Amino acid sequence: MGEIATSNRQITLFYSSKSVRAKQTLAYAKAEGLPILEIDILKTPLTGTQIAALADRLHIEIKDLVNQEHRAYKSQFEHHDFSSVDWIKTRRNNPEIMKHPIALRGDITILVETPTDSIKI
């Protein structure tokens, strides 16, 4: 998967198949009949460019895409202030620590906090 392509006709959802919130979001969006392109971040590695693009679309820094409260992060790292390149490497090597789900549709990108957020876009 190269650059992040978006469409007004479907929602692209970046999520972890191990996440309860992501599963609920998928189920809710499907029940609403929304067309979804599912990208499981545990099965489809994101490039550094894609990670940076997601952060840019969300108007946050790359480090803010990393869930430093996730048990996988806490078991391997302490809170750090890495460079953007190091945050990308950390996220690429540990995909489960990325904040998710992230939904995109056209020019709109949101970090999904509740399953119903998917209809906001």
Side-chain angles (χ1 to χ4, degrees):
M1 192 166 98
E3 302 251 345
I4 297 176
T6 63
S7 168
N8 287 322
R9 297 180 183 199
Q10 75 178 8
I11 294 173
T12 303
L13 188 69
F14 293 87
Y15 71 99
S16 166
S17 54
K18 292 184 178 180
S19 166
V20 172
R21 182 176 13 156
K23 290 175 187 175
Q24 291 171 340
T25 300
L26 274 170
Y28 185 83
K30 287 179 180 179
E32 289 292 312
L34 301 172
I36 300 173
L37 172 61
E38 301 175 32
I39 301 174
D40 184 346
I41 61 174
L42 300 180
K43 296 178 182 174
T44 305
L46 301 180
T47 67
T49 301
Q50 289 170 321
I51 294 166
L54 285 173
D56 187 54
R57 289 179 64 99
L58 289 165
H59 307 289
I60 62 174
E61 293 184 40
I62 294 169
K63 69 178 182 177
D64 295 327
L65 273 179
V66 175
N67 180 358
Q68 293 186 44
E69 298 305 316
H70 192 283
R71 67 183 174 282
Y73 182 91
K74 285 182 170 184
S75 70
Q76 296 180 50
F77 308 99
E78 294 180 13
H79 285 279
H80 284 89
D81 194 21
F82 294 130
S83 70
S84 292
V85 172
D86 288 336
W87 280 118
I88 288 171
K89 288 179 186 176
T90 301
R91 207 311 276 146
R92 282 188 47 93
N93 292 327
N94 305 277
E96 67 279 5
I97 66 173
M98 185 169 111
K99 290 182 182 175
H100 61 85
I102 298 172
L104 292 80
R105 185 176 192 177
D107 293 333
I108 302 168
T109 304
I110 61 169
L111 184 58
V112 177
E113 299 292 332
T114 65
T116 58
D117 285 349
S118 59
I119 63 170
K120 291 180 181 176
I121 62 168

